[in-house]
């Protein structure tokens, strides 16, 4: 057919650069630029301490993305389990050498950089599951026993993350895995059954939750319960959003944000600040931008000719979606306060690197979209 | 390959489902934004503004109180407070420990501070101690680096430089009570003080001024970012008085000096008036208290001591103490009789020591009697029998009417709170309160100023002033120029009217009062002023506190000094001076002081003499007291 088929996805480096989806690169740069602008505003009109570093991190992130994209998708598939095992080890290491940051054990200090293994796990788990389901045929997937290994793969990091304790990330891992299971073709009744079981176990889960987690859930249900304590964030965030109105108060004019009524405006609550200063129009525009990025992710996934690529792309895209949805829903008081940043905009190094790494993988899937891979990773099967 | 095609098809199908689900969730977000930012926008915009703008009241400085020469009687002093801000210290207990090494902090105070810290938001400063001296403040300031969270605040407190000398006149200020809240936001300011007694209370609105406002933009922890708008308030106005500070201090000191065998300050009052204007030159009540103690927060002990003291330091006896006027009332009886034409200067009555009415005997204070006495002699020697006779013939109705004209029996509306009206009994009053008709014997008793009669020292001074000024109905007042514009009495002071008394009658009374002090046989001859041109005229009064029984009288009346303090007679004296051209009137009442001539008259003499020496009109070309009106407030 085309030249692509003839090459079976094997390109030279130059060809790969040619095949990078430059439009997606542009799409990613837009929210990053918005992030720089918002962080500039959060510092009351100063590139320090956040905006400049955010821009630099995005530049580094782009570099990471390109490098990841250049690596052959088959190579990613081959090392998926290794990658996953490494992430799992780091996660376990957090229990031992991790230090407490932001009230929870989430960081591991490698001397030159603080790593958040749970972030890395979000990608590693998707890759591992994608590799597993790649080798499972449509017929086999109906067998319950087939589901045991991937369930263990999900359970191990989820439990470790929950121990830290980081309920938000644990739920994100489970949700992303759910998406991969679903897209891999796991039967619908499995999901229905799991959902029923989950609902039934809610009372048990309540008992297991930490006090501050229960607090967040209760405050979410009734923010006026503690207007100066845990409910303060949500209430002030809603006030800021409402005060922004349709068109916003203007760049750097948000009183809620600039007078510090808004907590953590440079990280988790940056969307609130954007919506206060640019109003609903600004917020909807940003959601539109995210939707376009998601659409690209979906398109790349559907277009891929190998199951690993499809599942990896859809899994990572869904991770991205969860970031966006959880963060925005949280600041608008739709779900409890969980520490999830707004992708590409919130200030924070690990999340930025994780995301750009993820987009690098999506890009790799795009570049190697026509590679055909056998159940065990061979590329010769026809 | 076809197997993978199946998977690809399923993947595409499910991708549509997944994409649809995600799109739906994103649409939910947009819907939520529409709800918050468009439908509920107004509500949240208001909340944001309330967050941002904080209205702060600027308390106005309280006006001062000045004496007639502009000397300051009540002022505001810098006051240093030490506060602690919980959010700025890791351990409030440690901070308090550090503070306790510099200033004493009681366990009680510590408990209160810790309790307030736990109740209030962490950035709210909590007062630890007030009224710190400059030295304490400086020491805390120096140690500030070791005292995290400690803040020093500069405020103003009321200060009365002359303390007890003007306590009853000035009153004091204290925190606003629930009942005093009028809706004026100023009153809700923590630490705001209002007048609770005396002039501070009467002229509270004048002295208070009005508060300014400052709209400030605050951040989330209440810290001020910038001032948006400022409206300056109106500082409280000064209130100048007619009182002469030096005379007041002299009078208060003289009144409070112990008498005879009693080591305590006597219980009593004195009033000095300008007889032409009614201006109060001095007014004191004894014993007194230190009004500054009320500002600094009175200890329970001190408070109990004040209210349980039998000599009632808190009561202003000059306006609220009511006493039978005794013989000082005889001028009113005489004037009533003269006006009716019952007596003239020649009419005589024979005093044999007592008079009879039916079966009852009414005794003169002099056991042997005065013999033949006319009006002049009767006043000079204070003959009771003469006035029993005069009262019986004049009748209680005329006596009562004259007393009212002279200023007794009703409140005089001086600009002080708590003035009492005294009592001039009438037939209707007797019937209404006792249920029995008026007895003629009661008229006789009223003739010597006893029985039901009651008058305040202020009323006695006003009566004397009206006798001395030719029957002009002056009214007493403290504020210069009469009650102030914004005071409770908006009415300008009317020009005092004449009482329509016959000048010749008044001259007779004044001559007799002159003789009381300056004639060798006058009851107050011992208390005369010897300086030429400063001589005073007066009338003594000695009022029985307990009934003398028949048995006691027969056994020989016991000397006053032998009785317990509370059974001794009240001593009264009213006076005016100088006799040639009267200008000042004074009254002195000493509770249980013994006799008017021996106790009250010397006090009145000293105070009046001091008044005359300080008289700004003296030293002007002789012609008369009205020549120099510069310091007079009648204008």
């Amino acid at each position: 057919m085309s030249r692509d088929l003839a090459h079976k996805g094997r390109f030279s480096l130059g060809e790969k650069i040619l095949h990078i989806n430059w439009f997606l690169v542009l799409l990613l740069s837009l929210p990053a630029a918005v992030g720089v602008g918002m962080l500039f505003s959060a510092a009351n009109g100063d590139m320090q301490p956040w905006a400049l570093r955010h821009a630099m991190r995005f530049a580094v992130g782009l570099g990471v993305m390109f490098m990841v994209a250049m690596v052959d998708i088959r190579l990613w598939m081959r090392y998926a389990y290794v990658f996953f095992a490494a992430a799992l080890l780091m996660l376990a290491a957090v229990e031992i050498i991790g230090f407490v940051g932001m009230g929870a054990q989430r960081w591991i200090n490698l001397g030159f950089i603080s790593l958040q293994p749970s972030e890395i796990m979000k990608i590693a788990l998707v890759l591992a599951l994608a590799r597993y389901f790649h080798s499972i045929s449509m017929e086999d997937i109906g067998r319950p026993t087939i589901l045991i290994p991937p369930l263990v793969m999900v359970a191990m990091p989820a439990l470790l993350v929950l121990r830290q304790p980081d309920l938000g990330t644990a739920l994100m891992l489970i949700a992303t895995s759910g998406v991969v299971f679903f897209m891999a073709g796991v039967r619908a009744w499995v999901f229905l059954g799991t959902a029923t079981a989950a609902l039934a176990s809610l009372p048990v889960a309540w008992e297991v939750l930490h006090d501050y987690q229960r607090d967040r859930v209760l405050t979410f249900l009734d923010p006026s319960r503690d207007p100066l304590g845990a409910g303060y964030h949500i209430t002030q965030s809603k006030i800021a959003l409402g005060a922004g109105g349709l068109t916003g108060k203007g760049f750097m004019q948000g009183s809620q944000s600039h007078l510090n009524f808004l907590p953590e405006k440079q990280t988790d609550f940056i969307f609130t600040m954007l919506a206060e200063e640019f109003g609903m129009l600004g917020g909807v525009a940003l959601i539109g931008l995210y939707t376009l990025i998601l659409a690209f992710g979906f398109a790349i996934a559907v277009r891929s000719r190998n199951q690993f690529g499809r599942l990896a792309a859809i899994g990572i895209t869904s991770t991205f979606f969860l970031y966006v949805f959880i963060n925005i829903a949280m600041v608008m008081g739709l779900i409890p306060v969980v520490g999830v940043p707004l992708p590409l905009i919130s200030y924070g190094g690990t999340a930025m690197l994780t995301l750009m790494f993820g987009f690098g993988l999506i890009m790799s899937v795009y570049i190697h979209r026509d590679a055909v891979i056998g159940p065990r990773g061979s590329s010769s099967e026809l | 390959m076809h197997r993978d095609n199946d998977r690809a098809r399923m993947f595409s199908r499910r991708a549509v489902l997944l994409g649809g689900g995600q799109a739906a969730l994103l649409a939910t977000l947009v819907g939520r934004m529409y709800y918050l930012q468009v439908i509920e926008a107004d509500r949240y915009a208001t909340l944001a503004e309330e967050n941002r703008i904080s209205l702060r009241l600027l308390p106005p400085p309280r006006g001062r109180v000045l004496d007639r020469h502009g000397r300051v009687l009540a002022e505001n002093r810098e006051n240093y407070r030490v506060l602690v801000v919980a959010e700025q210290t890791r351990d409030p207990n440690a901070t308090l420990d550090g503070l306790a090494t510099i200033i004493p902090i009681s366990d009680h105070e510590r408990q209160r501070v810790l309790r307030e810290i736990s109740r209030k938001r962490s950035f709210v400063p909590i007062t630890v101690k007030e009224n710190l001296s400059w030295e304490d403040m400086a020491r805390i300031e120096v140690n500030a680096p070791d005292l995290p969270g400690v803040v020093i605040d500069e405020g103003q407190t009321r200060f009365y430089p002359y303390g007890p000398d003007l306590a009853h006149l000035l009153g004091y200020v204290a925190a606003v009570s629930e009942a005093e809240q009028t809706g004026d936001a100023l009153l809700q300011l923590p630490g705001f003080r209002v007048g609770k007694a005396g002039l501070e209370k009467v002229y509270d609105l004048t002295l208070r001024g009005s508060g300014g406002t400052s709209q400030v933009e605050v951040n989330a922890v209440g810290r001020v970012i910038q001032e948006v708008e400022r409206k300056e308030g109106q500082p409280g106005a000064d209130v100048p008085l007619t009182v002469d500070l030096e005379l007041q201090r002299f009078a208060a000191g003289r009144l409070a000096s112990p008498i005879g065998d009693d080591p305590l300050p006597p219980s009593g009052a004195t009033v000095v008036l300008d007889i032409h204007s009614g201006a109060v030159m001095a007014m004191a009540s004894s014993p007194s208290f230190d009004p500054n103690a009320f500002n600094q927060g009175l200890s329970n002990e001190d408070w109990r001591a004040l209210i349980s003291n039998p000599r009632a330091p808190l009561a202003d006896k000059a306006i609220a103490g009511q006493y039978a006027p005794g013989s000082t009332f005889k001028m009113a009886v005489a004037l009533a009789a003269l006006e009716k034409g019952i007596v003239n200067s020649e009419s005589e009555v024979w005093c044999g020591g007592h008079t009879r009415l039916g079966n009852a005997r009414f005794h003169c204070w002099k056991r042997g009697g005065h013999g033949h006495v006319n009006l002049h002699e009767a006043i000079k020697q204070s003959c009771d029998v003469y006035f029993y006779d005069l009262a019986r013939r004049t009748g209680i109705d005329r006596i009562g009417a004259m007393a009212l004209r002279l200023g007794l029996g009703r409140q005089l509306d001086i600009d002080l709170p708590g003035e009492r009206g005294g009592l001039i009994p009438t037939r209707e009053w007797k019937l209404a309160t006792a249920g029995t008709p008026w007895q003629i014997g009661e008229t006789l008793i009223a003739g010597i100023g006893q029985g039901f009669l009651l008058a305040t020292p202020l009323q006695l001074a006003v009566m004397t002033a009206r006798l001395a000024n030719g029957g002009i109905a002056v009214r007493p007042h403290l504020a210069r120029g009469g009650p102030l514009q914004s005071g409770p009495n908006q009415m300008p002071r009317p020009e005092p009217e004449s009482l329509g008394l016959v000048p010749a009658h008044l001259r007779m009374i004044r001559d007799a009062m002159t003789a009381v002090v300056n004639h060798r046989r006058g009851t107050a001859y011992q208390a005369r002023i010897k300086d030429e041109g400063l001589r005073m005229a007066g009338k003594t009064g000695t009022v029985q506190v307990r009934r003398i029984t028949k048995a006691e009288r027969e056994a020989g009346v016991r000397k006053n000094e032998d009785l317990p303090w509370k059974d001794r007679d009240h001593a009264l004296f009213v006076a005016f001076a100088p006799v040639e051209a009267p200008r000042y009137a004074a009254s002195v009442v000493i509770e249980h002081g013994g006799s008017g001539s021996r106790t009250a008259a010397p006090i009145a003499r000293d105070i009046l003499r001091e008044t005359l020496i300080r008289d700004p009109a003296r030293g002007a070309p002789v012609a008369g007291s009205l020549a120099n009106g510069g310091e007079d407030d009648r204008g």
Side-chain angles (χ1 to χ4, degrees):
Chain A
M1 224 153 71
S2 74
R3 183 172 125 267
D4 295 345
L5 256 183
H7 284 268
K8 290 176 184 162
R10 287 183 203 280
F11 304 130
S12 69
L13 191 65
E15 284 172 315
K16 285 184 180 177
I17 293 173
L18 259 173
H19 278 84
I20 284 174
N21 191 330
W22 288 103
F23 195 72
L24 181 60
V25 174
L26 175 72
L27 272 183
L28 293 175
S29 303
L30 285 177
V34 169
V36 170
M38 291 322 295
L39 290 169
F40 177 77
S41 172
N44 291 317
D46 198 332
M47 288 303 284
Q48 299 292 344
W50 301 310
L52 191 63
R53 292 191 66 185
H54 186 75
M56 284 161 53
R57 280 173 179 173
F58 180 68
V60 171
L62 276 180
V64 168
M65 184 183 89
F66 287 137
M67 282 192 291
V68 171
M70 294 304 108
V71 176
D72 196 300
I73 190 71
R74 279 156 288 216
L75 213 58
W76 284 117
M77 182 169 156
R78 190 177 309 155
Y79 291 111
Y81 288 154
V82 178
F83 189 38
F84 174 72
L88 200 60
L89 265 175
M90 278 197 284
L91 211 48
V94 168
E95 287 286 308
I96 305 156
I97 60 166
F99 65 89
V100 173
M102 303 295 288
Q105 260 184 5
R106 292 175 193 173
W107 304 78
I108 184 163
N109 196 341
L110 296 182
F112 61 99
I113 185 172
S114 287
L115 271 182
Q116 226 174 329
S118 58
E119 287 291 317
I120 297 169
M121 181 50 83
K122 284 174 188 163
I123 303 290
L125 181 59
V126 167
L127 290 181
L129 289 174
R131 170 162 183 185
Y132 181 81
F133 283 114
H134 177 87
S135 59
I136 304 297
S137 68
M138 280 288 281
E139 293 75 30
D140 289 345
I141 212 155
R143 299 211 328 256
T145 49
I146 284 291
L147 293 179
I148 293 172
L151 279 176
V152 172
M153 274 195 275
V154 177
M156 282 190 300
L159 287 173
L160 277 173
V161 167
L162 211 52
R163 264 187 69 91
Q164 284 184 351
D166 186 352
L167 183 63
T169 304
L171 288 174
M172 261 183 88
L173 285 174
I174 292 168
T176 314
S177 306
V179 167
V180 177
F181 276 54
F182 177 71
M183 295 308 289
V186 173
R187 303 290 186 261
W189 62 262
V190 176
F191 291 97
L192 283 173
T194 312
T196 315
L199 272 175
S201 65
L202 262 184
V204 181
W206 182 253
E207 291 300 315
V208 176
L209 286 181
H210 280 256
D211 276 349
Y212 85 96
Q213 290 166 332
R214 285 189 206 170
D215 217 35
R216 282 180 179 180
V217 175
L218 284 175
T219 309
F220 158 70
L221 295 173
D222 177 17
S224 63
R225 197 172 71 99
D226 182 11
L228 295 176
Y232 181 78
H233 292 192
I234 291 177
T235 307
Q236 292 298 342
S237 177
K238 280 159 76 178
I239 290 175
L241 284 163
L246 189 64
T247 54
K249 291 184 170 176
F251 186 53
M252 308 236 302
Q253 301 298 316
S255 72
Q256 285 285 100
S257 321
H258 289 284
L259 296 175
N260 286 331
F261 286 101
L262 199 60
E264 311 205 21
K265 57 176 181 283
Q266 79 279 15
T267 57
D268 292 356
F269 282 85
I270 199 163
F271 182 82
T272 306
M273 186 174 164
L274 178 131
E276 187 187 15
E277 301 196 346
F278 298 104
M280 181 181 168
L281 296 182
V284 170
L286 183 67
I287 292 177
L289 204 54
Y290 281 137
T291 309
L292 263 180
I293 295 173
L294 289 170
F296 261 78
F298 271 73
I300 289 171
V302 171
R303 172 67 185 78
S304 173
R305 288 170 59 89
N306 54 74
Q307 183 74 343
F308 176 76
R310 281 192 291 259
L311 290 177
I314 205 79
I316 292 164
T317 304
S318 294
T319 301
F320 181 77
F321 165 82
L322 283 173
Y323 271 113
V324 173
F325 177 78
I326 292 177
N327 179 273
I328 297 180
M330 168 189 78
V331 302
M332 294 198 299
L334 280 173
I335 62 170
V337 174
V338 282
V340 171
L342 188 63
L344 301 172
I345 295 184
S346 285
Y347 181 76
T350 318
M352 173 75 88
L353 282 178
T354 311
L355 277 163
M356 295 310 285
F357 192 101
F359 279 110
L361 284 169
I362 291 177
M363 201 65 91
S364 179
V365 170
Y366 176 75
I367 293 170
H368 307 94
R369 56 190 176 274
D370 289 322
V372 179
I373 313 170
R376 268 161 295 278
S378 71
S379 56
S380 56
E381 193 177 309
L382 273 166
Chain B
M1 187 66 204
H2 66 274
R3 279 210 316 231
D4 191 63
N5 280 341
D6 290 344
R7 293 208 298 203
R9 268 198 300 277
M10 166 172 264
F11 186 91
S12 299
R13 259 199 326 271
R14 291 202 167 182
V16 171
L17 280 175
L18 182 68
Q22 292 185 359
L25 287 173
L26 290 177
T28 313
L29 295 183
V30 172
R32 178 69 172 175
M33 280 181 85
Y34 180 75
Y35 172 76
L36 287 175
Q37 300 203 271
V38 177
I39 297 175
E40 293 275 84
D42 288 347
R43 185 163 81 87
Y44 285 118
T46 314
L47 285 174
E49 198 66 6
E50 280 173 9
N51 258 347
R52 184 172 81 90
I53 299 294
S54 163
L55 191 71
R56 310 207 160 177
L57 270 177
L58 307 170
R62 193 169 175 86
R64 299 172 302 168
V65 181
L66 310 171
D67 91 332
R68 64 162 44 219
H69 301 300
R71 287 172 292 208
V72 177
L73 307 180
E75 63 184 330
N76 305 311
R77 277 229 167 151
E78 296 303 315
N79 161 35
Y80 299 100
R81 293 192 296 169
V82 58
L83 309 122
V84 61
V85 183
E87 70 171 4
Q88 288 170 13
T89 171
R90 206 169 290 162
D91 180 6
N93 249 314
T95 299
L96 287 176
D97 285 340
L99 209 51
T101 62
I102 302 170
I103 52 168
I105 297 174
S106 68
D107 278 351
H108 181 75
E109 282 168 326
R110 178 187 289 258
Q111 294 306 321
R112 175 186 58 78
V113 171
L114 292 176
R115 202 168 50 236
E116 281 190 55
I117 284 176
S118 64
R119 278 198 200 133
K120 293 185 176 166
R121 289 174 68 181
S122 62
F123 63 84
V124 176
I126 310 293
T127 305
V128 180
K129 221 168 167 81
E130 282 188 279
N131 301 308
L132 291 179
S133 68
W134 191 87
E135 287 78 14
D136 285 338
M137 191 276 294
R139 270 190 296 170
I140 294 170
E141 200 73 61
V142 165
N143 288 295
D146 302 328
L147 300 168
V150 166
V151 178
I152 288 182
D153 189 35
E154 212 178 341
Q156 290 196 319
T157 42
R158 201 66 165 160
F159 180 67
Y160 307 103
Y162 306 103
D165 288 344
L166 288 111
H168 296 103
L169 281 189
L170 297 174
Y172 50 88
V173 294
V176 189
S177 72
E178 204 64 45
E180 284 165 331
Q181 294 287 358
T182 56
D184 184 348
L186 262 187
L187 299 182
Q188 287 160 14
L189 272 184
F192 195 79
R193 306 287 159 109
V194 292
K196 292 282 186 173
L199 291 161
E200 293 273 27
K201 183 175 185 179
V202 172
Y203 293 119
D204 190 54
L205 287 178
T206 310
L207 291 164
R208 186 191 298 169
S210 58
T213 52
S214 164
Q215 278 189 15
V216 289
E217 189 176 61
V218 295
N219 71 3
V221 293
R223 208 152 278 132
V224 176
I225 302 300
Q226 58 166 334
E227 191 167 64
V228 182
E229 198 189 323
R230 189 185 181 90
K231 255 182 18 210
E232 290 297 341
Q234 183 75 39
D238 288 348
V239 172
L241 302 185
T242 60
V243 169
D244 180 326
L245 169 64
E246 294 303 324
L247 177 65
Q248 171 73 23
R249 299 190 69 191
F250 178 87
R254 180 68 185 86
L255 183 70
S257 347
I259 297 164
D261 60 343
D262 180 15
L264 299 172
S267 178
T270 182
V271 178
V272 182
L273 296 177
D274 179 320
I275 61 167
H276 298 297
S277 64
V280 174
M281 305 298 295
M283 188 156 94
S285 176
S286 171
S288 190
F289 59 93
D290 186 357
N292 291 310
F294 284 81
N295 288 345
Q296 289 156 17
L298 211 54
S299 73
N300 262 342
E301 238 169 89
D302 291 345
W303 173 247
R304 264 196 299 273
L306 274 178
I307 55 171
S308 64
N309 187 331
R311 303 196 179 187
L314 291 180
D316 186 356
K317 301 186 184 86
I319 57 168
Q322 304 187 107
Y323 310 94
S327 298
T328 60
F329 188 66
K330 285 174 180 164
M331 284 83 82
V333 179
L335 268 180
L338 285 168
E339 194 164 72
K340 201 198 166 194
I342 290 166
V343 290
N344 56 38
S345 58
E346 305 304 320
S347 337
E348 287 190 349
V349 167
W350 191 79
C351 168
H354 65 86
T355 189
R356 276 180 187 283
L357 185 76
N359 291 328
R361 285 171 72 157
F362 292 82
H363 292 272
C364 186
W365 66 271
K366 193 169 178 180
R367 290 198 78 188
H370 290 96
H372 286 283
V373 285
N374 61 12
L375 180 62
H376 183 86
E377 288 298 319
I379 289 176
K380 184 171 92 184
Q381 300 182 51
S382 202
C383 175
D384 291 338
V385 168
Y386 181 91
F387 279 94
Y388 291 141
D389 182 62
L390 211 57
R392 186 175 50 77
R393 289 196 280 153
T394 311
I396 189 62
D397 303 330
R398 282 194 178 75
I399 295 171
M402 180 56 74
L404 289 177
R405 280 159 82 189
L406 290 174
L408 306 180
R410 272 192 219 123
Q411 286 181 18
L412 292 161
D413 297 333
I414 190 172
D415 35 1
L416 278 182
E419 189 202 353
R420 312 267 304 257
L423 175 65
I424 298 299
T426 60
R427 295 173 195 278
E428 297 77 44
W429 172 85
K430 171 83 193 298
L431 198 60
T433 49
T436 53
W438 185 265
Q439 306 290 314
I440 187 72
E442 288 160 352
T443 305
L444 267 62
I445 293 293
I448 61 161
Q450 304 218 28
F452 301 118
L453 287 169
L454 287 175
T456 64
L458 178 69
Q459 288 174 330
L460 294 177
V462 167
M463 175 190 79
T464 313
R466 290 179 180 184
L467 292 173
N469 69 11
I472 307 298
V474 289
R475 283 180 172 275
H477 59 93
L478 279 159
R480 213 155 166 194
L484 297 167
Q485 281 303 304
S486 52
N489 301 315
Q490 290 283 349
M491 299 286 287
R493 185 153 45 97
E495 201 58 31
E497 290 167 19
S498 169
L499 294 166
L501 298 168
V502 180
H505 297 167
L506 285 171
R507 212 174 304 122
M508 278 174 66
I509 302 290
R510 285 202 298 265
D511 285 348
M513 288 174 75
T514 304
V516 166
V517 185
N518 297 293
H519 193 276
R520 235 175 321 105
R521 286 170 62 196
T523 51
Y525 181 67
Q526 296 302 321
R528 70 195 181 280
I529 297 176
K530 290 162 185 160
D531 316 56
E532 195 51 44
L534 303 186
R535 290 187 306 151
M536 74 169 180
K539 180 75 195 79
T540 54
T542 305
V543 179
Q544 275 171 228
V545 172
R546 55 189 271 284
R547 257 189 102 80
I548 300 173
T549 60
K550 198 178 173 196
E552 272 182 315
R553 197 179 291 278
E554 276 156 14
V557 178
R558 282 198 289 165
K559 277 192 168 168
N560 232 320
E561 290 76 30
D562 302 334
L563 295 169
W565 180 77
K566 66 176 182 50
D567 287 341
R568 293 180 192 175
D569 296 343
H570 290 333
L572 290 80
F573 194 73
V574 297
F576 63 85
V579 288
E580 296 82 8
R583 179 148 174 76
Y584 298 106
S587 67
V588 172
V589 175
I590 303 293
E591 290 180 6
H592 311 294
S595 101
S597 56
R598 250 172 302 154
T599 308
I603 296 174
R605 171 198 62 203
D606 292 347
I607 291 171
L608 260 185
R609 185 168 175 278
E610 187 72 15
T611 312
L612 290 170
I613 289 170
R614 307 197 153 271
D615 185 353
R618 272 184 84 244
V622 190
S625 58
L626 304 182
N628 180 357
E631 292 291 346
D632 198 345
D633 65 316
R634 272 170 293 157

